[in-house]
Amino acid sequence: GQNIDQPTEMTATEGAIVQINCTYQTSGFNGLFWYQQHAGEAPTFLSYNVLDGLEEKGRFSSFLSRSKGYSYLLLKELQMKDSASYLCAVQDSNYQLIWGAGTKLIIKP
Amino acid sequence: NAGVTQTPKFRVLKTGQSMTLLCAQDMNHEYMYWYRQDPGMGLRLIHYSVGEGTTAKGEVPDGYNVSRLKKQNFLLGLESAAPSQTSVYFCASSFVGEGPVGEQYFGPGTRLTVT
């Protein structure tokens, strides 16, 4: 079967760094996406990885290891507006996105 | 550009009633998708379309039908609503299906309650 695992909830302090992990087992791999979803809103695209390594985009970075079926999203200099759910999604051999349940990130002042 | 829009935003149905959810996109995207999102679960694909006049089943298609008569519109129908269909429904679109430009753009969602 296909499976995406993420922690359900994480708490971090404003100004700190947090790493959200995602492990996956899917039928094929054609890329991994991270999306941000604020409560009551639609998901919005954050990052895409298809090759091993780190992709940096401002305060956000995403890492991929295909051999380990593992990715993480790194958020630096946390701000209160970063309080949201972070969704990991893997594109399988049919180019369909398989979604994790999301990690709810709570930022405390 | 409005992006992806969905109507209605909220709806309450009685068991057995029918309804249609409308999704529209103005980005000239080929691919469109309907998902449902339930607490504690990831987004699950109901149906999708890879172009005007085409539709295909996703992970959880039972109880739903779709149509894509125009490239910019993707309709999701519930013929006989059941309480298990209480959920938040998201429509999304993408330029292509794969790669970094396979990024999906989401509508604001429809919150459906079936009593």
Side-chain angles (χ1 to χ4, degrees), chain B:
Chain B
N1 282 356
V4 181
T5 58
Q6 292 182 232
T7 52
K9 288 186 168 53
F10 302 92
R11 185 74 187 267
V12 178
L13 287 179
K14 294 187 188 305
T15 298
Q17 288 184 320
S18 64
M19 77 165 295
T20 300
L21 283 67
L22 172 63
C23 176
Q25 52 94 6
D26 61 3
M27 297 174 282
N28 202 35
H29 284 171
E30 289 294 334
Y31 288 64
M32 295 188 75
Y33 313 83
W34 275 108
Y35 290 97
R36 61 179 289 172
Q37 187 174 42
D38 301 294
M41 302 183 73
L43 287 159
R44 291 184 291 169
L45 184 65
I46 304 171
H47 287 280
Y48 65 99
S49 168
V50 300
E52 180 179 316
T54 75
T55 62
K57 294 180 180 180
E59 180 188 354
V60 289
D62 293 343
Y64 306 95
N65 56 75
V66 288
S67 64
R68 184 124 181 246
L69 299 179
K70 293 183 179 181
K71 185 177 183 178
Q72 62 268 34
N73 295 338
F74 196 28
L75 278 63
L76 178 71
L78 285 72
E79 290 186 346
S80 180
S84 61
Q85 294 178 304
T86 293
S87 187
V88 179
Y89 291 86
F90 285 103
C91 175
S93 70
S94 63
F95 183 62
V96 295
E98 69 272 9
V101 292
E103 168 194 347
Q104 294 183 13
Y105 294 79
F106 283 80
T110 295
R111 283 148 185 80
L112 176 65
T113 301
V114 183
T115 60

Side-chain angles (χ1 to χ4, degrees), chain A residues 5-108:
Chain A
D5 284 319
Q6 307 177 231
T8 302
E9 187 174 296
M10 300 181 69
T11 302
T13 305
E14 190 177 14
I17 300 173
V18 70
Q19 177 175 311
I20 301 174
N21 295 327
C22 171
T23 58
Y24 63 88
Q25 288 180 308
T26 56
S27 56
F29 178 86
N30 281 303
L32 186 144
F33 291 81
W34 284 96
Y35 281 76
Q36 181 189 58
Q37 185 177 25
H38 285 100
E41 297 184 8
T44 55
F45 171 77
L46 284 178
S47 69
Y48 171 80
N49 295 70
V50 68
L51 299 176
D52 290 353
L54 189 68
E55 294 281 343
E56 298 188 77
K57 194 185 284 189
R59 294 188 298 115
F60 293 6
S61 303
S62 57
F63 171 84
L64 175 67
S65 169
R66 288 172 297 172
S67 62
K68 294 182 178 179
Y70 168 70
S71 173
Y72 67 72
L73 181 70
L74 191 71
L75 291 72
K76 302 176 184 176
E77 301 169 14
L78 286 170
Q79 302 175 9
M80 297 304 292
K81 67 179 182 179
D82 297 330
S83 292
S85 288
Y86 292 86
L87 314 180
C88 172
V90 171
Q91 204 162 43
D92 69 8
S93 57
N94 295 318
Y95 293 99
Q96 298 304 317
L97 282 182
I98 309 301
W99 296 81
T103 299
K104 183 178 180 180
L105 178 62
I106 299 168
I107 310 295
K108 295 186 174 181

